[in-house]
Amino acid sequence: MIDNFDLLPREEAFDPFSVVLFKALQVLAFLFFFALLMVAPEAKKGKIDSKAEFLISVDWPDNHPDDFDTFVQDPIGNIVWFRRREAGFMLLDRDNRGGLNAFVLVNGQKVPTETRQELVSLRGIVAGEYTVNVYHFSALTGRPVPVTVTIQKLNPVVTIVAKETIEFVQGNVEKTAARFTLDASGAVTETSHIERSILQTFYNAAPDGKAWRNGAPQ
């Protein structure tokens, strides 16, 4: 009689077939999800996703006290170096001063490192010729030091554009490690090792010869 007033919902009759079917659908859904996980593409080991297009590394012997500086000039005159760490699409990611800053930051703490390396990345493409020079800023040992410069194109796969080892026998010397030319798509069309001073391009036509360009102090 109470059903006539619709105050309480009527319980439907128990159907074992529906329960079995529902459980079967749950099992199928689980198996489908597990199969998707199994066929998902495996991450490629050693693959580095980077926004950079080119990476320039300058290396000298571990634990060496001497200070070497990297200078890179792009086709439109931008120069990246330790006093201007970002210029155009170029970025000095790591400035190494030999024994003076031989540490890396790990969780906010300074950890000593033996590595002697500077890194410059190119985050975009400007067509034309780039020049990569190394300057022996501080010579403390008085002995020859080999410095290896490696230029890598990162995309679509990592390829070595140039690799050169230069020997420095004294301080205050600038040497050209490599010059390379890019087209508008970022393809390398030419490389050379012809010497070209970047430091000389800093000076303008001021009478005292001490004025700077490309972001250096006036």
Side-chain angles (χ1 to χ4, degrees):
M1 289 182 296
I2 195 171
D3 290 341
N4 296 330
F5 295 96
D6 199 24
L7 297 178
L8 293 175
R10 180 185 295 275
E11 294 185 2
E12 297 181 358
F14 177 74
D15 185 359
F17 177 77
S18 298
V19 174
V20 173
L21 180 60
F22 178 73
K23 293 297 183 182
L25 289 175
Q26 284 185 317
V27 172
L28 288 175
F30 173 78
L31 292 175
F32 179 73
F33 177 74
F34 183 74
L36 286 178
L37 293 179
M38 294 295 293
V39 301
E42 181 182 358
K44 296 182 179 179
K45 296 180 180 179
K47 177 177 172 55
I48 300 176
D49 294 326
S50 174
K51 295 181 180 180
E53 299 292 334
F54 288 82
L55 183 66
I56 301 168
S57 61
V58 177
D59 300 85
W60 60 104
D62 290 350
N63 287 318
H64 204 284
D66 285 12
D67 181 5
F68 290 88
D69 291 315
T70 306
F71 292 78
V72 183
Q73 185 172 30
D74 72 8
I76 58 177
N78 293 311
I79 299 174
V80 67
W81 58 307
F82 69 89
R83 287 189 181 175
R84 191 182 185 191
R85 300 185 62 154
E86 186 172 357
F89 289 127
M90 303 180 297
L91 180 68
L92 177 62
D93 298 284
R94 169 64 175 161
D95 175 35
N96 194 307
R97 299 176 60 192
L100 294 180
N101 66 339
F103 63 85
V104 293
L105 289 176
V106 179
N107 296 325
Q109 302 294 322
K110 292 183 178 181
V111 179
T113 176
E114 301 177 352
T115 303
R116 300 293 181 265
Q117 182 184 69
E118 294 202 344
L119 296 173
V120 175
S121 58
L122 276 59
R123 306 301 177 93
I125 301 299
V126 177
E129 185 183 61
Y130 294 76
T131 302
V132 182
N133 284 8
V134 178
Y135 180 72
H136 197 174
F137 185 85
S138 175
L140 301 177
T141 63
R143 294 190 296 271
V145 186
V147 178
T148 300
V149 178
T150 307
I151 303 171
Q152 299 179 79
K153 187 177 188 300
L154 302 182
N155 300 309
V157 294
V158 177
T159 56
I160 295 179
V161 174
K163 186 173 184 178
E164 186 77 12
T165 298
I166 309 169
E167 187 174 81
F168 288 83
V169 296
Q170 62 184 19
N172 299 317
V173 173
E174 177 191 14
K175 292 187 177 183
T176 297
R179 297 163 68 175
F180 62 99
T181 303
L182 305 180
D183 64 17
S185 69
V188 179
T189 60
E190 185 179 357
T191 62
S192 76
H193 299 92
I194 300 173
E195 289 288 338
R196 175 181 175 274
S197 175
I198 293 180
L199 291 177
Q200 289 297 325
T201 67
F202 280 151
Y203 299 103
N204 62 16
D208 59 6
K210 295 181 180 180
W212 299 82
R213 295 186 299 180
N214 297 300
Q218 294 288 338

